[in-house]
Amino acid sequence: MKHILSVIYLSISCLLVLISNVQCKRSESELAPKIAGLIGTWKLVEPDSTYDVTLIFALDTAHPPQDVTSFKASGMAGVNAYTLNLFAAIDGMMMADQLNSTYKAGTPVAMQFEQSYLKNLKAVARYELPTENQLRLYHGGDQPRVLVYEKQN
């Protein structure tokens, strides 16, 4: 009888350890490859690459990925530096929030370009990674409704 109770106790102990390991693995956040492909520095190539415009995606470690992944994004918009929060889902949906920029003056043409770029970036609704080195951000802002970037690193 003692032997049977020992086997049952050992079996239950093993089962509890197994269940706890499975639960620990489920709680860990894994970054989907499509989302991970966003991380890095991107350079604007279309619709206008006259100015040196960059977009840097850095994972927001304060908000681990779940259904939506949070990024702290930043870059240069031609004249001024900017920061914003970007939220991406694996299905290609994207949303921007809390856009801020510096306030350096530039030529009227550069400032108009920058204002239009930031307006479009803030209106982003969807992203696409056709290749590992190309990013398309679709937005509801001014025409043409897509910003195309090339990966720098």
Side-chain angles (χ1 to χ4, degrees), residues 4-153:
I4 292 174
L5 289 176
S6 296
V7 170
I8 291 172
Y9 177 74
L10 183 60
S11 297
I12 290 172
S13 297
C14 289
L15 184 60
L16 290 175
V17 168
L18 181 63
I19 289 171
S20 68
N21 284 342
V22 169
Q23 287 176 342
C24 288
K25 287 181 183 176
R26 284 186 187 164
S27 67
E28 292 175 6
S29 298
E30 284 189 32
L31 200 56
K34 182 175 181 179
I35 299 288
L38 293 170
I39 296 172
T41 302
W42 299 85
K43 183 176 179 179
L44 184 70
V45 293
E46 290 179 36
D48 183 350
S49 61
T50 303
Y51 302 96
D52 190 24
V53 176
T54 58
L55 175 60
I56 303 166
F57 282 86
L59 194 59
D60 182 356
T61 55
H63 300 94
Q66 292 181 8
D67 293 336
V68 174
T69 302
S70 178
F71 291 95
K72 293 290 185 189
S74 61
M76 287 298 297
V79 177
N80 289 287
Y82 67 91
T83 62
L84 76 156
N85 294 329
L86 286 171
F87 305 93
I90 197 163
D91 65 358
M93 299 304 288
M94 184 174 274
M95 186 181 84
D97 187 30
Q98 297 181 353
L99 175 65
N100 296 299
S101 68
T102 57
Y103 295 103
K104 293 191 298 186
T107 66
V109 174
M111 296 307 293
Q112 177 59 40
F113 169 85
E114 182 172 283
Q115 184 178 28
S116 178
Y117 171 74
L118 293 175
K119 178 181 174 186
N120 293 339
L121 188 59
K122 189 170 181 178
V124 69
R126 190 167 61 86
Y127 74 94
E128 186 178 89
L129 290 162
T131 69
E132 65 182 38
N133 293 320
Q134 187 182 60
L135 169 65
R136 294 173 167 271
L137 296 182
Y138 297 92
H139 58 84
D142 297 333
Q143 293 290 338
R145 303 200 185 274
V146 64
L147 300 169
V148 181
Y149 299 84
E150 208 171 72
K151 193 154 197 174
Q152 302 297 295
N153 67 13

